Amino acid sequence: MHNTLLIIHSLLRWAIVLTGLWAVIRALKGVSSKTPYTAADKKAGLFFMIFLDTQLLIGLLLYFVTSAFGLKAFQEYGKEVMHNGGLRYYAVEHVFVAIVAIALVHIGRAKVKKTTLDAQKHKTSLIFFALALIILATRIPWERGLLGY
């Protein structure tokens, strides 16, 4: 079960990167071209959020149930997790940054829904989605290859 979840988690990162880029590019185009905020813009942000939420659920299963690098690391090594860069990365940094990025996307989408002006919708989308994508890029384990395992 662990390997299956890890493969799905690793593959989903590419869906997140692609939909995140799609959402950011659409927002950037909207800001620079002053185009109306369309259903395609809404879908780009929605798919970005859906893939992030799905990734979070799988990540939480890995963290709390199957992975030795999640909660089990704290149970086995205690405070020493914070002194080991590899353990700290998965047990703290990876999870924390992912949750912050997901919160940014949810906040951004909520703000877009409340805004009536198209230009403001694009600007808000650009700020929140770009920030989320940038901070996600800092905590994705790129060195693990295409599939990440």
Side-chain angles (χ1 to χ4, degrees):
M1 179 169 131
H2 174 76
N3 286 340
T4 303
L5 288 173
L6 188 59
I7 290 169
I8 294 167
H9 191 69
S10 297
L11 289 173
L12 266 176
R13 76 174 151 169
W14 297 108
I16 289 166
V17 168
L18 292 174
T19 56
L21 286 172
W22 177 37
V24 168
I25 289 168
R26 289 207 59 88
L28 186 59
K29 180 182 170 194
V31 167
S32 63
S33 302
K34 296 180 175 70
T35 58
Y37 189 85
T38 66
D41 298 312
K42 185 177 179 179
K43 284 180 187 175
L46 177 64
F47 281 114
F48 187 32
M49 185 182 73
I50 288 170
F51 283 125
L52 281 167
D53 289 346
T54 305
Q55 184 77 315
L56 176 64
L57 290 174
I58 293 168
L60 289 174
L61 280 172
L62 286 166
Y63 190 86
F64 288 108
V65 179
T66 70
S67 178
F69 296 113
L71 185 61
K72 290 179 185 175
F74 282 106
Q75 292 168 339
E76 189 169 326
Y77 300 105
K79 289 188 269 184
E80 289 302 312
V81 169
M82 299 307 286
H83 300 290
N84 180 316
L87 287 175
R88 184 182 63 242
Y89 174 80
Y90 287 104
V92 180
E93 297 168 9
H94 183 72
V95 177
F96 177 75
V97 168
I99 290 170
V100 169
I102 291 166
L104 284 170
V105 171
H106 277 270
I107 292 166
R109 283 194 29 86
K111 286 185 170 287
V112 166
K113 286 180 184 178
K114 292 179 181 178
T115 304
T116 56
L117 299 173
D118 288 343
Q120 190 60 39
K121 286 183 181 205
H122 285 301
K123 184 178 176 184
T124 301
S125 295
L126 180 59
I127 291 167
F128 282 89
F129 298 165
L131 278 174
L133 197 57
I134 289 166
I135 67 167
L136 280 172
T138 69
R139 293 296 109 199
I140 292 175
W142 300 108
E143 71 281 357
R144 297 189 90 188
L146 183 63
L147 295 179
Y149 61 94

